[in-house]
Amino acid sequence: MLFLPDLRKQARQLENELDLKLVSFSKLCTSYSSSRDGRRGDTSDTTPLLNNSTQDRMFDTMSVEIEQLLAKLTAVNDKMAEYTNSPGAAALNAALMHTLQRHRDILQDYTHEFHKTKGNFLAIREREDLLGSVRKDIETYKSGSGVNNRRTELFLKEHEHLRNSDRLMDDTISIAMATKENVTFQRGMLKSIQSKVNTLANRFPAINNLIQRINLRKRRDSLILGAVIGVCTILLLLYAFH
């Protein structure tokens, strides 16, 4: 039977592995969109299909690996929770209980980040497949009916509009991914600092009121930042589709 220090060590190792995997997973999503942009001018079908197939296999493999790591980390957290409920757990101090809660919060953050990145990847792939189908239909129509008729011109204009909108969306997603990585890094640093400050607060109750005021200020700033990002995203989407 593993003791609590061993379980905490396992949790930290799994968290480090998940952090590296999620960074690579996020870069795969970004590089997928960029590589599709680089191949749009290529009229050959063989190379894009081969490259897309390779990236799709990487996506499936990394998804399975991350899901397995999340399942392992969940199991370790459950074991630590069982340990705290066992006889003799009353001897655990508040700082240790806070550490256990922090492991659960990290698991929740990693799970949310994985599903969000996976959803973005699938959305990009679906949109690219749809645009590829439109381009193929246009090429088929051009080869069968010629380029100089009115319907072909309408198709080409609509296709150009879709390309411009898609390029703007890709730029927006790239900026959002870079911002997310920076925020995730800063969040990890802030959580580490907050853990140490909370430990001091448990020892010195006079500091607790100051920490609560800081947390309220931080929540307010997060809400304001989220509102600004949401408004900017809506404006970009409105600009892209009008």
Side-chain angles (χ1 to χ4, degrees), residues 14 63-73:
L14 290 171
S63 295
V64 171
E65 292 176 352
I66 293 175
E67 288 173 351
Q68 291 175 347
L69 288 173
L70 289 173
K72 290 180 181 179
L73 184 56

Side-chain angles (χ1 to χ4, degrees), residues 32-210:
Y32 183 85
S33 176
S34 299
S35 63
R36 296 293 287 257
D37 281 339
R39 292 195 300 267
R40 281 174 183 167
D42 188 2
T43 57
S44 175
D45 293 334
T46 304
T47 301
L49 289 175
L50 179 61
N51 292 335
N52 291 345
S53 177
T54 301
Q55 289 185 316
D56 289 340
R57 285 197 299 270
M58 291 177 60
F59 168 77
D60 293 335
T61 301
M62 293 184 67
S63 295
V64 171
E65 292 176 352
I66 293 175
E67 288 173 351
Q68 291 175 347
L69 288 173
L70 289 173
K72 290 180 181 179
L73 184 56
T74 300
V76 172
N77 284 347
D78 291 341
K79 289 180 181 178
M80 287 193 292
E82 293 175 0
Y83 187 90
T84 58
N85 295 327
S86 62
L92 296 176
N93 57 37
L96 182 56
M97 296 297 294
H98 174 77
T99 300
L100 299 179
Q101 180 61 40
R102 181 171 175 269
H103 283 298
R104 288 192 287 265
D105 292 339
I106 291 174
L107 171 62
Q108 184 178 3
D109 290 341
Y110 283 159
T111 302
H112 175 73
E113 183 177 349
F114 167 65
H115 289 301
K116 184 177 180 181
T117 304
K118 183 178 180 180
N120 289 337
F121 184 95
L122 294 176
I124 291 173
R125 185 168 64 182
E126 181 179 358
R127 186 178 67 252
E128 292 290 344
D129 291 341
L130 177 61
L131 291 176
S133 177
V134 171
R135 287 194 294 269
K136 184 177 180 181
D137 291 341
I138 292 175
E139 292 297 330
T140 302
Y141 185 83
K142 285 167 57 179
S143 62
S145 303
V147 187
N148 296 322
N149 57 68
R150 177 63 177 169
R151 186 175 297 177
T152 300
E153 292 178 0
L154 293 176
F155 269 118
L156 291 174
K157 290 180 180 179
E158 183 65 21
H159 173 58
E160 185 64 25
H161 177 70
L162 288 173
R163 287 187 61 185
N164 293 334
S165 300
D166 182 52
R167 188 178 299 109
L168 180 60
M169 288 296 296
D170 289 341
D171 293 340
T172 304
I173 291 174
S174 298
I175 294 173
M177 296 293 290
T179 304
K180 179 183 67 62
E181 291 180 2
N182 291 331
V183 171
T184 301
F185 175 75
Q186 294 177 6
R187 181 179 60 192
M189 294 182 61
L190 289 175
K191 283 187 175 181
S192 176
I193 295 173
Q194 185 180 13
S195 176
K196 296 178 180 178
V197 173
N198 287 336
T199 301
L200 292 175
N202 291 327
R203 296 181 180 178
F204 304 98
I207 304 177
N208 195 32
N209 292 331
L210 177 60

